[in-house]
Amino acid sequence: MEKNFDVIIIGGGPGGYVCSIRLAQLGFQVACVESRKTLGGTCLNVGCIPSKSLLNLSENYFKVKNEFNNLGIESSELKLNLTKMMNNKNKSVLTLTKGVEYLFKKNKVTYLKGQGSITAKNTVTVIDDLKKKSNYKAKNVVISTGSLPTTIPGVKIDEKIIVSSTGALSFDKVPKELIIIGGGYIGLEMGSVWKRLGSNVTVIEYLDHIIPGMDKEISNEFLKILKKQGINFKLNSKVTTANVVKNKAVVDFTNNESAKRQRFEADKVLVAVGRKANLESLNLSKMNIKLDTKGKIKVDENFKTSVENIYAIGDVIRGPMLAHKAEDEGVVVAEIIAGQSGHVNYNTIPSVIYTSPEVAAVGKTEDELKKENIKYKVGKFPFMANSRAKVNNETDGFVKIIADEKTDKVLGAHMIGPHVGTMISEVVIAMEFGASSEDIARTCHAHPTHTEAVKEAALAVDKRPIHY
Ligand SMILES: Cc1cc2nc3c(=O)[nH]c(=O)nc-3n(C[C@H](O)[C@H](O)[C@H](O)COP(=O)(O)OP(=O)(O)OC[C@H]3O[C@@H](n4cnc5c(N)ncnc54)[C@H](O)[C@@H]3O)c2cc1C
């Protein structure tokens, strides 16, 4: 029997589940289809949440092992219990995914378990675990099927020795040698986890710098800090093959400049070269839903695909592959379907790397502004001169604020240092309100806090920092 809904959302990740809840709040009859055993998508199951659990625990382990003894917190017989650490991570994931299920019940969102495809303009077909097919009718459909790890030619992921981020979140023992292909944020976060737990980590990156698109000064500082932490880097190097030989991975790579070839062996290889839109089994071409040049679903400014009543959000469409971007699009598309005027400000989407120290950014980089011929001023303040960072012995890094040369309007902020992943929100809000660097500089910041570094960087835009 067919059941009717106002909107069916395919995919229960941050884009899809948030969109479902917002639509329900707006009074729609909503169903969300999810093929994974639990809700929450990549983010809650194999992305943001499990990686942050391991980042937090491995950082604590590393600090107790290597730093606390010198600070008067002495411990003997410190032992790593990886099984317990993984169990804790799995428990956090379960609690949060069950939390989304609870929110669905609370908001009366129907949870359809199985794989969804669009079989007609207003029909979604769901195939469950027992291969049973059910058809559901909807006035509107939202595709939020997210993304999947990708690889490069010559490298096949087996999730045993050559793994994606999903495999690297669940190693059953600490690999002695870990090679990471790709110096983006996922590779560097997972590299930090396993380095702190005892692996010898080597990152092989095609470009001559890490984190493509990041402010150059921050990227250089970040590389310096990671090297100081003992992570090895082979930059400007192209991996040609990675093979499994007698339970070990053999990775061949060539330096782009010198053409020198090298071969490294490792217990595990993490392939972290990016992600691709997950379009499998959606039936897009039959529905005449068009893709863009990057193989993502093409949408207009209202998230409409090439079919009138079908929308798409999150990792399957253009823009950064980030959970909070998907969530914001989920809210906005729900409001657009309700006839309201939703809007996502892509200039103020922050990005954060949860290493130690953290790295955070919002808005334009200097390179982007130069390309756009926009004249700007820069203010910088080092954590070395921030009293709270100093007493906590976490003085690596700095805050950089970029403002328009004439109007002083804040155009971007780039930070590396303790807690900057949380601190970036201050500049995001300032930018949303169209603030100037003078506005931030004249805002009272609690003392002693790391956030004073933001105020001082804003003062530095006008060359008048107090503490540096
Ligand atoms: C290791 C790692 C760490 C990350 N860390 C961060 C971070 O710290 N911060 C951040 O902002 N982002 C992070 N991300 C990225 C973030 O996870 C994604 O940007 C986000 O999950 C995208 O949300 P989404 O709703 O578009 O898609 P997804 O979260 O991928 O959800 C899509 C869901 O749709 C389901 N699905 C797919 N096809 C079908 C179908 N046909 N029928 C039914 N269901 C289907 C999938 O099973 C999946 O559950 C991380 C990613 C990884 C891999």
Side-chain angles (χ1 to χ4, degrees):
M1 199 185 72
E2 283 185 348
K3 193 164 184 254
N4 292 333
F5 291 97
D6 293 317
V7 191
I8 295 180
I9 294 97
I10 308 179
Y17 86 72
V18 167
C19 181
S20 303
I21 292 170
R22 184 70 189 117
L23 281 162
Q25 286 176 345
L26 289 162
F28 291 99
Q29 292 287 322
V30 186
C32 180
V33 192
E34 174 54 58
S35 56
R36 204 188 287 271
K37 292 268 174 291
T38 44
L39 290 165
T42 303
C43 173
L44 268 61
N45 290 282
V46 290
C48 327
I49 296 303
S51 60
K52 266 80 252 180
S53 167
L54 293 182
L55 277 158
N56 177 50
L57 295 173
S58 61
E59 188 179 345
N60 287 337
Y61 170 74
F62 182 86
K63 278 188 176 161
V64 177
K65 190 167 177 224
N66 299 291
E67 291 174 12
F68 279 12
N69 269 347
N70 294 335
L71 306 173
I73 306 169
E74 294 179 3
S75 61
S76 54
E77 289 191 43
L78 179 71
K79 199 173 126 215
L80 171 68
N81 186 330
L82 188 61
T83 313
K84 261 195 193 165
M85 198 179 268
M86 289 294 171
N87 286 346
N88 175 79
K89 174 208 70 175
N90 296 339
K91 204 171 117 200
S92 309
V93 168
L94 191 69
T95 312
L96 288 170
T97 56
K98 285 285 164 211
V100 178
E101 214 173 309
Y102 160 77
L103 290 174
F104 271 13
K105 279 195 191 121
K106 186 178 161 208
N107 288 282
K108 300 196 173 46
V109 173
T110 303
Y111 174 15
L112 301 173
K113 295 181 185 175
Q115 190 165 57
S117 60
I118 308 170
T119 41
K121 196 170 167 296
N122 296 100
T123 310
V124 171
T125 302
V126 179
I127 305 178
D128 69 15
D129 274 358
L130 304 169
K131 305 270 177 253
K132 188 175 157 251
K133 263 189 190 180
S134 311
N135 289 328
Y136 300 91
K137 290 271 175 207
K139 291 185 197 114
N140 293 292
V141 176
V142 179
I143 303 170
S144 56
T145 48
S147 61
L148 296 169
T150 181
T151 187
I152 48 174
V155 180
K156 196 164 166 258
I157 294 172
D158 62 13
E159 291 300 7
K160 287 186 189 111
I161 301 220
I162 303 178
V163 302
S164 70
S165 54
T166 304
L169 287 166
S170 295
F171 290 152
D172 55 6
K173 61 176 195 243
V174 179
K176 237 174 145 189
E177 289 289 336
L178 171 64
I179 290 179
I180 298 176
I181 308 177
Y185 83 92
I186 292 180
L188 298 180
E189 285 187 357
M190 294 317 300
S192 293
V193 166
W194 293 108
K195 174 71 201 166
R196 293 166 190 161
L197 298 181
S199 297
N200 184 41
V201 176
T202 304
V203 177
I204 308 177
E205 164 58 50
Y206 183 78
L207 299 174
D208 63 1
H209 58 276
I210 53 171
I211 316 283
M214 175 186 269
D215 177 274
K216 281 279 157 56
E217 221 175 337
I218 298 272
S219 168
N220 290 340
E221 181 73 9
F222 191 26
L223 180 64
K224 215 165 71 190
I225 292 171
L226 292 173
K227 278 184 177 168
K228 207 166 75 185
Q229 292 174 0
I231 297 182
N232 312 305
F233 284 88
K234 290 282 171 189
L235 299 178
N236 221 345
S237 297
K238 182 181 174 172
V239 171
T240 46
T241 54
N243 292 304
V244 178
V245 181
K246 290 189 191 144
N247 260 350
K248 290 247 178 200
V250 179
V251 180
D252 288 306
F253 58 100
T254 309
N255 185 282
N256 294 333
E257 261 170 28
S258 65
K260 186 182 159 204
R261 290 186 193 176
Q262 273 184 284
R263 170 169 287 186
F264 278 8
E265 263 190 26
D267 304 286
K268 302 275 184 194
V269 172
L270 162 59
V271 185
V273 293
R275 298 177 61 82
K276 60 174 185 203
N278 182 4
L279 309 173
E280 286 166 16
S281 69
L282 278 171
N283 204 30
L284 296 185
S285 57
K286 270 213 182 125
M287 288 303 305
N288 215 5
I289 294 176
K290 302 229 158 38
L291 303 186
D292 64 19
T293 49
K294 291 188 172 153
K296 293 181 160 198
I297 297 177
K298 199 172 172 179
V299 288
D300 68 10
E301 65 285 0
N302 289 325
F303 305 98
K304 256 188 200 158
T305 67
S306 29
V307 176
E308 183 66 19
N309 66 320
I310 301 176
Y311 298 80
I313 55 169
D315 279 7
V316 276
I317 65 164
R318 79 281 186 274
M321 287 185 166
L322 292 169
H324 42 283
K325 175 255 191 193
E327 288 188 34
D328 280 12
E329 289 176 343
V331 168
V332 164
V333 85
E335 292 171 355
I336 288 172
I337 289 171
Q340 300 178 0
S341 50
H343 171 71
V344 177
N345 183 357
Y346 289 97
N347 284 327
T348 55
I349 293 180
S351 57
V352 177
I353 306 172
Y354 299 83
T355 44
S356 178
E358 291 182 339
V359 182
V362 63
K364 303 280 187 189
T365 62
E366 289 192 60
D367 280 350
E368 283 171 333
L369 291 169
K370 275 179 200 144
K371 249 193 218 150
E372 291 170 30
N373 260 330
I374 296 172
K375 295 241 173 337
Y376 60 87
K377 308 176 277 185
V378 173
K380 273 198 303 186
F381 189 79
F383 280 103
M384 185 64 94
N386 172 272
S387 57
R388 187 64 184 277
K390 250 188 134 71
V391 294
N392 288 2
N393 298 300
E394 38 190 28
T395 49
D396 276 342
F398 59 88
V399 173
K400 176 186 204 175
I401 290 185
I402 307 177
D404 187 276
E405 191 180 85
K406 258 203 198 133
T407 64
D408 193 37
K409 189 176 171 179
V410 177
L411 301 175
H414 306 274
M415 312 179 181
I416 179 164
H419 311 294
V420 296
T422 306
M423 282 158 57
I424 195 75
S425 324
E426 169 178 359
V427 186
V428 174
I429 291 177
M431 286 176 68
E432 275 291 348
F433 282 82
S436 62
S437 73
E438 186 69 18
D439 289 324
I440 297 178
R442 290 199 177 267
T443 301
C444 191
H445 287 67
H447 175 77
T449 61
H450 298 91
T451 65
E452 288 171 290
V454 177
K455 176 182 172 142
E456 291 273 7
L459 281 165
V461 172
D462 192 39
K463 299 189 175 48
R464 50 179 227 273
I466 300 291
H467 294 92
Y468 188 62

